[in-house]
Structures are given as C-alpha cells and as structure tokens.
RNA sequence: GGGGGCGUAGCUCAAUUUGGUUAGAGUACCAGACUGUCGAUCUGGUGGUUGUGGGUUCGAGUCCCAUCGCCCUCGCCA
C-alpha cells in the first residue's frame, strides 16, 4: 500500500526561478551554548591574511568565517577566513577550556571572533602553502557572531559548481577566494583609472540614467513615465550625446565610469548592463586619444599586474584587418594570417572555386602550421560542419606531405605550377594543413576568422600572459544596409568623416573613411571612439545621407544640432568596456567572473529573480496593460 | 529566432556498445573515536519523484515527443 502523495507544489512562475532556501537545524546547535549577540565585544585588530613570524608574541583579535575545522578530540584547528586570507587558530583544552568547549560546536561558515596570542608553529608544522603558515593564534577567548546553515556548496576555488547555483547563491559564490580577488582587482583597476584621469585634469560628470529613446543602435531598455502615461524614458546605451553636449558646454576634458544598458542577447563577453569608461576631449585630434589611452593601459597594467607593455600600439587600417584576419578585431597574439588565392583559384579546374569567383566571391585560405598530422579527415569534417554557423558551404583542404607535396582530393585540379605558387604564397612546409573557403567576401572573412581563432587555440599558438593591443583605424563611414537600401553608420551618425574624403561623401559614400577607431585586446573589442562632427552643416549632410529627414533629425537629436550652432569646439572621445578589460587582464573566459551580480544568458538575475511581475496597481499607475 | 552541449544524492560525477536485480562513488552533512592537523585520519550512518510532463515497452536514468533551466554559438549588439 502506498500512501497518497501530497499535492505537488504550484508551478513557480517563470519570472521567479528562485526556490526557497532549505533550512536545517544545524545552526541551532550553538544557541544554547553562547549568546549570539550584538554588539560584539571582541574588536578586530588584524585581518586573516597578515600575520607573519614578526607578529609572534602579539595579542591579536581576528574575525572571519570558519573555513575548515579539524577536530583531533583534544586540540581543534580552525582555518579562519576573511577576504585577505586564512589564518590557523588553535583551541586547546589545557590552554583555555572554555574556548575549546565553544569551538567544539563550530561548523563551516560560522562567523566568529577570536582573541589570542600569535605563536610560532611548533617544529616541523610550518605550512609553506599558506601565507600565514609560519604562525598560528592560540585562542584565549572566542565569540560566536553568527551561525550558518550548511552552504549548498563549499567555499572553495577548486570546486566547479554549476553556474545556476553560483548565481542563485551569489553571496556564497562571492565568498570564494577567486571571486574576492576578482572584485578586489577590479576595484584596484578603477582606482588607478580614476587617479590617472584626475592627474590629467579630467572632470567627472554624471549623465542621466532616465533619458531619451533613440531608435538607432541597440534595443533600448524602457522605463514608463507615471507622470506622462504612454511616454517612456530609455536607459542609456551610452552617454554619447551628453558627453558631446558637455564639450559644447566647455568642460574640455570629461570622464565617467558609467553603466550602459542594451537589450540584446547575451554572450560570454556581453551583459545587458555593463560598465564603460567614457571619455571626451576638446581641441584634440585622434593622436591625443591614442596617447591618452595607451598611457592609461600601460599604467593600469604596470600598477595592477606589474606588466610593462609596449607603446604606442600597432595601428591597423580596417581594410588591412579584414584582409589579413577577416575581422575588425584581430587577435595579434599569433600569426596565421589569411591569404588571398583568388588568382590561382580562378585559373584552376576546381568548380567550387571558379563558380564562387564568378559569382563575385573570394577564395582565401590560411596555413595551419604543423596541423596536418593532428587533423584526420574526420576532424576536418567536424570543422566543416562547425563552419556552417558562419554561412560557409564548405571547407577545402590540402595537406603537405613529408616530401613537400600537396595531397588531397582537390589537388588534381591544380597544375604543378599553380601548386608551386600556392605553396610559396602560403609558406607551406611538410606537415602543414592548408584550409580554404570560397564564398561571398563576408562569409569568407567570418569563416576564416572563426577558423583562425579556433586553430590558434587548438594548436597552442597563444602564449599565456600575453597581451596584444592594437588600434583598428580608418573605418569606413558607412556600411550598406541591403534591407533598408541605404548606408548605415559604421560607428554612429556623429562621427567626423576623414577630411580627405569630405568631397566624395555624396558620390561614393561607401568609400569614405571615418575618423573612427577601435581598441582591440587579444581579439576582443575593448572600446571605440571617434572625432565628432562639430559643424552643423557637416552633421546635416550626414543625416541626409542616412536618409534622416530634417524633421526627424530635429525630433531625435534637435538638442545636439542646436548645441552645435552655439560654438561647439572640435572634439572627440572614446569609450572602453571595463568589464571586458578586467576579464582579459585576469584571463577569465566570462564577464560573469568579474561582475558581482551578473545576469544569465536569458537575462535573468537568479538571486533576486528579476525581472519579475508587478502588481496590477503599479501597472495601472503607469497606464500599462499586459497584452501577451 | 536558428545550431550545439548539459540536467542522476546538498555538491561534482558514474551507471558496463544496443532498455533488465535493490541507481553507485568521491565529497559535504550527521554520530562516535582520536591532542599537531592543515583537502586531517579511522569507524558507522542519513541522504534519490534520475529537471518537469506525456508516450513506447512485460520492464525506462537509458528510447521517442513536448516543456523548463544553465552554458557555448550564429543572427542581433549604430
């Protein structure tokens, strides 16, 4: 006979992924023994990371969490943890029976205060793995400040806990030494940055969080206005227009560390809210920006990691970057540049190549040095399948055998002379694997970029601790938007055209270069900026090209256009993604490792359960109705 | 919106190609022992709606369908 099952709990709404925290009676074990009181009567004198042999003999009081407890029946050892480190505290019945009796009930993550004397560890018991391993504290008095339930996972770096649990119990996850170090490192970087800009006369000005929606660019997060039902504020995608206005207002050098919000899908290196270092300067050109940011990066890396980097950074014109790497954010930590073999491919007998070229496409390839023995036919098939994500219909390959000859099913379509040219151009040597993609230029670029990055990692071409900065410059003003049949700004509509290209703006807009630049670190776009348009006539020409009518321009950016009429100085600036910078400096693979309370890939904050439903009353006040 | 990976004890994982006895291990937790450990040790123990719902089958952790969640990625991110 089975008993009737209890009713299942009601399905939790999707907006509230959190479940109630399970409770046990573990924490109650101490309640009868000591008073868990406040105020504390033991006051901290040192952190758990600072005691050394030189402190021996001193009376100290430490506060922290019970990281580990080792009970030998008589003596009890506790590793006490705070954000600075671990210190072993010792409870011995013959030293202090009362303290020992109290410590008997301690469990992991209890919060305690210990007063005692610093002693040398006895002969042979020094722990070289601990910074504080030369000493220990003999406890004379101990106070339980708070008990703890058994945590859902241990507070250890080496534990690989699921993302879901980490985010739901973020306060425990953040207690782990690795996360503590990440956030303290982040804080240190921010300090160096603020100091750098303060020394150079920058003014920190805050810009509004509740601002105006602009349909261009990323999707806005909207905030309904209660006072004006049916109207909305937008949370800023960046303070772009405000910082330009501040230049018109005469602030000359502006800096802000500011949250930006974009309602787009997430990635490992993209969160819906992120932190930018926003900078704008007057009476400057792009060289001033390069020098400023290079100086900043050198100082941050020197003061936080102790790494000296070379400046100035390499500059790569956009067109070169696309040609050599297939991307506008090349990873310069390794070579393996792309090679255009269109001329050879066009003359060969291989139909896939010739047809791609006839259709206006390209044939380009790269040389995976020494990769031939490591890649079976099957591996290459897997790679080909993977490339479909980038739109590539296929992947052609040739291996270079020990005698230097090309081998593969397509080699027969190439004459001896063509093969020789191919080998020479690609620097082919025995053991190399040559890979080719034939397709539309954009597909070729995206595919080979992906392939290059994948192979760079797989073949171990990326040295640990290497940091390769570069500037990508001379971006085109516009990219063609086939859907809307008009040019779109590559950067944004306030970017100054290159002075040499001012005359061709109207006739050949897609050939016009912009005064825009990106800074790239290890293949990740760290930030970008431009010299801005400060003359209303040029700004109006750009709007015309973008098919933004006078009325529309006035409605959307009228305040900026007006401002430009009242003595706008020449100005320009840049914005850097600080979360990404911290992530790259710490060599972590996700922004979640450097943001205290990040969102999941579906843009949910698992600890609080945001976003959540709101009351009917709240909706009514805002004049909103949910229709789905 | 598309593609892929994952979901089994509090946690991390296993479960013998192709469905078969009572779903195991490590760790955590609980109890006992132990006075120099430091990922303590030893002995014993608790702990499972195999994400959820349906289906196929004599029989489902395993196969099928749907759905939810987490991760990676394409599109998207001026």
């Amino acid at each position: 006979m089975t008993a009737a099952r209890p009713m299942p709990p009601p399905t939790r709404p999707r907006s509230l992924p959190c479940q109630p925290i399970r409770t046990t009676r573990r924490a109650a074990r101490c309640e009868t023994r000591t008073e868990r009181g406040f105020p504390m009567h033991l006051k901290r004198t040192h952190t758990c990371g600072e005691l050394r042999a030189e402190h021996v003999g001193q009376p100290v009081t430490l506060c922290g969490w019970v990281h580990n407890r080792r009970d030998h029946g008589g003596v009890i050892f506790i590793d006490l943890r705070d954000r600075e480190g671990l210190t072993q505290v010792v409870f011995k019945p013959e030293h202090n029976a009362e303290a020992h009796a109290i410590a008997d009930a301690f469990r992991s993550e209890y919060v305690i205060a210990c007063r005692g004397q610093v002693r040398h560890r006895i002969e042979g018991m020094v722990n070289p793995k601990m910074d504080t391993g030369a000493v220990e504290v003999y406890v004379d008095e101990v106070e339980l400040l708070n008990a703890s339930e058994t945590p859902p996972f241990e507070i250890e770096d080496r534990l690989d806990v699921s993302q879901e649990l980490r985010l739901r119990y973020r306060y425990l996850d953040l207690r782990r030494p690795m996360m503590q170090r990440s956030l303290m490192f982040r804080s240190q970087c921010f300090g160096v940055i603020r100091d750098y800009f303060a020394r150079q006369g920058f003014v920190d000005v805050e810009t509004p969080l509740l601002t105006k929606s602009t349909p261009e660019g990323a999707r806005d997060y909207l905030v309904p206005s209660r006072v004006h039902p049916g109207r909305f504020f937008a949370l800023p995608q960046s303070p772009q227009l405000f910082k330009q206005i501040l230049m018109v207002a005469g602030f000359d050098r502006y800096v802000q560390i500011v949250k930006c919000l974009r309602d787009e899908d997430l990635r490992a290196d993209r969160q819906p809210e992120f932190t930018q270092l926003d900078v704008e300067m007057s009476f400057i050109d792009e060289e001033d920006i390069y020098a400023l940011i290079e100086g900043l990066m050198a100082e941050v890396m020197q003061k936080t990691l102790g790494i000296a980097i070379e400046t100035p950074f390499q500059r790569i014109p956009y067109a070169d970057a696309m040609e050599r790497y297939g991307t506008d954010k090349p990873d310069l930590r390794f070579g393996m540049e792309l090679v255009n073999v269109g001329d050879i491919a066009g003359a060969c007998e291989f139909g896939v190549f010739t047809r791609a070229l006839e259709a206006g496409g390209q044939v380009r390839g790269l040389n995976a040095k020494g990769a031939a023995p490591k890649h079976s036919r099957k591996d290459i098939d897997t790679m080909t399948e993977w490339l479909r994500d980038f739109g590539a219909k296929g992947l052609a390959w040739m291996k270079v055998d020990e005698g230097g000859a090309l081998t593969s099913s397509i080699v027969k379509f190439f004459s001896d002379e063509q093969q020789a040219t191919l080998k020479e151009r690609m620097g082919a040597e025995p053991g190399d694997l040559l890979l080719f993609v034939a397709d539309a230029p954009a597909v070729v670029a995206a595919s080979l970029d992906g392939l290059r990055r994948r192979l760079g990692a797989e073949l171990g071409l990326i040295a640990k601790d290497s940091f390769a900065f570069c500037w990508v410059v001379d971006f085109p003003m516009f990219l063609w938007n086939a859907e809307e049949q008009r040019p779109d700004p590559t950067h944004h509509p306030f970017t100054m055209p290159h002075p040499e290209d001012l005359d061709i703006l109207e006739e050949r807009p897609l050939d016009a270069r912009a005064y825009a630049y990106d800074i790239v670190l290890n293949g990740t776009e760290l930030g970008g900026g431009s010299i801005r348009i400060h003359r209303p006539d040029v700004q109006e020409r750009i709007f015309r090209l973008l098919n933004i009518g006078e009325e529309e321009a006035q409605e959307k950016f009228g305040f900026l256009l007006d401002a430009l009429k009242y003595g706008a100085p020449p100005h320009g600036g840049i914005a850097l993604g600080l979360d990404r910078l911290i992530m790259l400096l710490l060599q972590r693979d996700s922004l979640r490792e450097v943001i205290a309370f990040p969102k999941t890939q579906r843009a949910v904050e698992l600890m609080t359960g945001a976003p959540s439903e709101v009351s009917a009353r709240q909706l009514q006040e805002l004049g909103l109705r949910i229709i789905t």
Side-chain angles (χ1 to χ4, degrees), chain A residues 52-58 88 90 117-127 132-138:
Chain A
R52 299 289 183 275
E54 72 203 59
H55 295 93
V56 167
Q58 290 186 18
Q88 174 166 286
V90 186
Q117 197 184 40
V118 182
R119 294 200 185 173
H120 267 299
R121 296 223 185 158
I122 59 177
E123 191 75 23
M125 292 304 158
V126 168
N127 186 346
T132 60
V135 299
E136 59 195 358
V137 174
Y138 269 57

Side-chain angles (χ1 to χ4, degrees), chain A residues 4 23 51 76 155 177 180 189 214 219 241 280 394 420 441 454 489 524:
Chain A
T23 54
L51 295 180
I76 295 172
I155 312 304
Q180 301 236 314
C189 287
T214 52
R219 196 175 291 114
L241 297 178
E280 196 77 5
R454 178 176 166 151
T524 297

Side-chain angles (χ1 to χ4, degrees), chain A residues 188-207:
Chain A
Q188 188 194 359
C189 287
F190 280 32
V192 172
I193 291 168
R194 289 199 173 96
D195 175 61
Y196 179 84
F197 281 98
R199 282 201 322 265
Q200 307 215 24
F202 280 78
V203 182
D204 192 322
V205 183
E206 288 163 280
T207 50

Side-chain angles (χ1 to χ4, degrees), chain A residues 267-335:
Chain A
R267 290 282 189 287
D269 64 353
R270 257 166 43 191
Q271 281 274 318
E273 64 177 297
F274 58 101
T275 303
Q276 276 196 349
L277 171 65
D278 200 40
V279 175
E280 196 77 5
M281 289 192 281
S282 293
F283 312 116
I284 50 100
D285 57 32
E286 71 281 10
E287 294 296 336
D288 297 293
I289 303 278
Y290 299 155
L292 177 80
I293 298 302
E294 284 163 1
L296 172 71
M297 288 302 142
E299 183 159 321
V300 167
M301 301 209 37
Q302 185 63 56
K303 288 191 172 170
T304 63
L305 295 175
I307 292 177
I309 53 168
E310 265 184 52
T311 56
F313 302 154
Q314 189 178 344
R315 296 180 199 174
I316 307 175
Y318 171 85
D320 287 9
M322 295 306 293
E323 183 70 24
R324 292 164 61 193
Y325 305 101
T327 174
D328 61 359
K329 42 181 164 68
D331 189 342
L332 299 185
R333 286 176 299 177
F334 62 101

Side-chain angles (χ1 to χ4, degrees), chain A residues 350 352-353 364-366 379-388 392-398 409-410 433-439 447-448 451 455:
Chain A
F350 186 37
V352 171
F353 282 5
R364 299 162 72 187
L366 52 79
D379 294 333
I380 297 173
D381 285 346
T382 307
M383 247 185 313
T384 310
E385 193 55 42
W386 177 76
L387 278 178
R388 286 184 194 284
K393 291 182 278 292
L395 176 66
W397 58 273
M398 298 177 187
S409 56
I410 64 165
L433 174 64
L434 311 183
L435 297 162
F436 305 92
V437 175
D439 218 307
S447 304
L448 289 177
L451 209 49
L455 287 165

Side-chain angles (χ1 to χ4, degrees), chain A residues 181-182 185 305 467 581-588 594:
Chain A
R181 263 183 272 123
S182 288
F185 179 84
L305 295 175
F467 296 94
L581 175 66
I582 308 300
M583 174 181 86
L584 292 168
L585 293 184
L586 289 175
Q587 306 185 56
R588 303 283 158 77
V594 298

Side-chain angles (χ1 to χ4, degrees), chain A residues 243-251 282 560 563-564 566-569 571:
Chain A
K243 66 176 175 176
Q244 290 190 239
I245 297 282
L246 286 169
M247 292 304 103
V248 180
F251 281 95
S282 293
L560 178 67
L564 295 182
Y566 289 95
H571 62 285

